[in-house]
């Protein structure tokens, strides 16, 4: 009898455990943005997409969840049909999801979302096969999607949503051409909740955590594909070029001014093989040679902002190469970057990010490992 009583109570406790997961089915119908000459030549730019997402509703078990108004996090898959433009391929993507509620009016809710993942099955530029669209240079690309929309509760278990989404495909210049494929679309969503959960605010006083001043050091590595940009390029092989390596080291000082944010400034040195070489055309073929007698290391200064979400940081920076020489086909000495940093331990971290220029052109993807040498509580 005692054993039966214990089993019954355990079963009852399990049955009372809230179901925090939710699922949504979504469809989009929009247009590819004509951001380059090849896309502008397409008479029809419509596309359709279908996605399924599985999410978990955070409930405040971790401090950052209540700070960000109990967001939903999860994974999703999307398949894209370019309709009359089959030469772009039939890409599908797997991505992580961050959904956050901005405001709610009774049954009407306003969300914003960020999706980030990897895409497969695009048709890349290939002059030999007649695929001349310069938007995509590889079958595998990054997938980034930003959106905002309204959701209405239509019953005990369902929401109906209408969103506006911006989608981006790019390989981060791992392979050229890589002008990127951008699209915008309204999205219709049907969301299923097995149980509607409203995160309960704790009656206890929330602990205000210490704010820190930190000094971090990291090393990074990257690869990028670059092509010859002279005016006498061979039309039959317009994107001849080379793959170059980039590596470097950086030191940052960050001052945390709230539980969610920190500002900082960093200095770095970068060995960029593309900068240290120049390409030239000879007999229809592209060659490269050393630009300087000795390799030049690029020194940079990088003001940055950090968004803190538990152990995950979003770092946003804008930098300047202090002594970069200007050449005819060089990129600007200004650069921008955005990266995701995860604290593996209290001191050790890993990061992945995008280095770009002109605020929209990917220069390369960088992988970083680092260590926090100093971590002092702000006084």
């Amino acid at each position: 009898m005692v054993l039966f009583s214990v089993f019954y109570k355990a079963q009852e406790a399990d049955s009372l455990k809230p179901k925090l997961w939710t699922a949504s089915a979504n469809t989009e119908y929009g247009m590819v943005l004509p951001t380059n000459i090849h896309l502008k030549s397409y008479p029809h730019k419509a596309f359709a997409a279908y996605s399924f997402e599985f999410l978990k509703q955070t409930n405040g078990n971790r401090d950052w969840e209540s700070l960000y108004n109990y967001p939903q996090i999860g994974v999703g898959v999307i398949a894209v049909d370019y309709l009359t433009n089959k030469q772009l391929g039939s890409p599908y993507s797997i991505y992580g999801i961050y959904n956050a509620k901005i405001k709610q009016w009774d049954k009407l809710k306003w969300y914003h979302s960020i999706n980030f993942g990897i895409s497969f099955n695009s048709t890349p530029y290939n002059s030999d096969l007649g695929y001349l669209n310069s938007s995509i240079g590889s079958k595998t690309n990054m997938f980034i999607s930003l959106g905002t929309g309204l959701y209405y509760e239509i019953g005990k278990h369902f929401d109906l949503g209408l969103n506006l989404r911006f989608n981006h495909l790019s390989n981060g210049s791992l392979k050229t051409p890589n002008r990127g494929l951008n699209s915008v679309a309204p999205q219709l969503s049907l969301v299923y909740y097995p149980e509607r959960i409203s995160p309960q605010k704790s009656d206890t006083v929330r602990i205000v955590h210490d704010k820190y001043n930190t000094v971090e050091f990291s090393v990074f590595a990257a690869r990028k594909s670059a092509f010859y940009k002279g005016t006498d390029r061979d039309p039959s092989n317009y994107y001849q070029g080379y793959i170059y390596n980039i590596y470097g080291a950086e030191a940052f000082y960050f001052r945390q001014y709230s539980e969610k944010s920190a500002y900082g400034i960093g200095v770095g040195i970068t060995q960029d093989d593309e900068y240290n070489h120049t390409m030239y055309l000879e007999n229809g073929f592209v060659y490269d040679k050393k630009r300087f007698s000795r390799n030049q290391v690029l020194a940079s200064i990088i003001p940055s902002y950090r968004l803190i979400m538990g152990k995950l940081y979003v770092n946003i920076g804008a930098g300047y190469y202090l002594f970069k020489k200007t050449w005819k086909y060089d990129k600007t000495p200004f650069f921008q970057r955005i990266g995701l940093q995860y604290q593996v331990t209290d001191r050790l971290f890993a990061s992945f990010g995008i280095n770009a220029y002109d605020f929209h052109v990917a220069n390369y993807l960088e992988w970083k490992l680092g260590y926090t040498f100093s971590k002092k509580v702000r006084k």
Side-chain angles (χ1 to χ4, degrees):
M1 181 68 73
V2 173
L3 181 62
F4 178 79
S5 176
V6 171
F7 176 78
Y8 178 78
K9 288 180 179 178
Q11 190 178 42
E12 185 179 32
D14 288 340
S15 66
L16 294 176
K17 189 175 180 180
K19 298 180 177 64
L20 296 175
W21 63 270
T22 181
S24 69
N26 319 284
T27 182
E28 302 174 24
Y29 185 85
M31 68 172 292
V32 174
L33 299 179
T35 53
N36 60 61
I37 190 171
H38 295 105
L39 294 176
K40 289 177 181 177
S41 67
Y42 291 174
H44 304 289
K45 302 175 180 65
F47 79 97
Y50 312 93
S51 59
F52 179 81
E53 299 176 348
F54 186 85
L55 303 115
K56 177 186 176 182
Q57 173 66 61
T58 59
N59 60 359
N61 286 338
R62 300 178 180 89
D63 288 341
W64 71 268
E65 296 174 354
S66 58
L67 277 174
Y68 287 89
N69 197 23
Y70 311 100
Q72 298 172 340
I73 54 176
V75 295
V77 293
I78 185 171
V80 180
D81 183 353
Y82 287 110
L83 303 176
T84 61
N85 300 312
K86 300 296 185 183
Q87 64 270 36
L88 295 176
S90 301
Y92 59 92
S93 305
I94 303 170
Y95 53 91
I97 306 165
Y98 173 88
N99 285 350
K101 187 190 299 181
I102 299 174
K103 197 169 181 61
Q104 181 165 356
W105 306 269
D106 192 20
K107 294 185 177 183
L108 183 65
K109 297 172 285 189
W110 179 20
Y111 277 85
H112 70 86
S113 65
I114 303 171
N115 301 338
F116 186 88
I118 188 167
S119 175
F120 307 91
N121 206 41
S122 291
T123 299
Y125 175 94
N126 189 316
S127 58
D128 294 335
L129 298 178
Y131 300 132
L132 302 179
N133 190 301
S134 59
S135 302
I136 296 296
S138 57
K139 290 185 176 181
T140 303
N141 298 278
M142 291 183 304
F143 171 74
I144 302 171
S145 183
L146 307 175
T148 185
L150 297 172
Y151 291 79
Y152 188 79
E153 298 178 7
I154 57 175
K156 183 178 180 181
H157 297 289
F158 291 95
D159 283 2
L160 187 64
L162 181 62
N163 301 284
L164 180 64
R165 302 210 66 87
F166 170 80
N167 306 317
H168 174 74
L169 287 181
S170 169
N171 65 41
S173 288
L174 286 173
K175 192 171 182 181
T176 53
N178 183 55
R179 298 180 183 272
L181 195 60
N182 303 308
S183 60
V184 63
Q187 180 193 67
L188 187 65
S189 301
L190 183 64
V191 187
Y192 172 71
Y193 290 87
E195 182 180 353
R196 290 195 183 275
I197 301 295
S198 296
Q200 298 297 320
K201 295 183 179 180
S202 174
D203 294 333
T204 60
V205 177
R206 195 176 67 81
I207 299 174
V208 178
H209 292 273
D210 292 330
K211 303 177 184 65
Y212 295 94
N213 296 335
T214 59
V215 177
E216 304 172 356
F217 178 81
S218 60
V219 293
F220 67 89
R223 298 188 79 192
K224 64 177 173 182
S225 177
F227 61 91
Y228 175 67
K229 298 181 177 65
T231 56
D232 52 348
R233 281 181 284 180
D234 183 359
S236 64
N237 202 351
Y238 202 67
Y239 293 98
Q240 294 185 73
Y242 288 85
I243 294 176
Y244 293 105
N245 296 318
I246 305 100
Y247 50 91
E250 295 174 343
F252 270 90
Y253 170 79
F254 275 100
R255 179 180 175 86
Q256 184 180 352
Y257 73 91
S258 75
E259 292 184 77
K260 298 170 67 173
S261 297
Y263 285 113
I265 190 165
V267 292
I269 54 172
T270 303
Q271 170 69 46
D272 187 336
D273 283 349
E274 182 193 17
Y275 178 67
N276 283 289
H277 289 78
T278 183
M279 284 182 268
Y280 63 96
L281 192 68
E282 186 174 294
N283 298 324
F285 293 94
V286 173
Y287 301 92
D288 73 339
K289 62 182 179 181
K290 285 279 190 178
R291 175 179 283 179
F292 312 106
S293 58
R294 292 183 179 180
N295 281 348
Q296 300 289 314
V297 176
L298 295 170
S300 59
I301 183 168
I302 317 160
S304 295
Y305 167 76
R306 169 171 290 173
L307 183 67
I308 302 170
M309 303 171 64
K311 293 184 177 182
L312 181 67
Y313 302 159
V314 180
N315 296 322
I316 303 171
Y320 181 78
Y321 293 117
L322 296 171
F323 309 111
K324 188 174 185 180
K325 297 180 175 67
T326 57
W327 300 78
K328 184 175 181 180
Y329 300 121
D330 267 355
K331 301 176 179 68
T332 170
F334 291 96
F335 64 93
Q336 302 82 45
R337 57 140 65 115
I338 182 169
L340 297 176
Q341 177 175 318
Y342 185 77
Q343 292 296 130
V344 182
T345 68
D346 189 49
R347 298 282 181 163
L348 183 67
F349 61 86
S351 176
F352 168 76
I354 303 172
N355 182 296
Y357 61 96
D358 292 342
F359 294 96
H360 73 287
V361 182
N363 195 13
Y364 53 81
L365 304 179
E366 56 186 20
W367 289 263
K368 183 184 296 184
L369 286 175
Y371 188 81
T372 303
F373 279 93
S374 176
K375 187 174 182 179
K376 295 181 179 179
V377 177
R378 280 188 56 192
K379 295 181 180 180

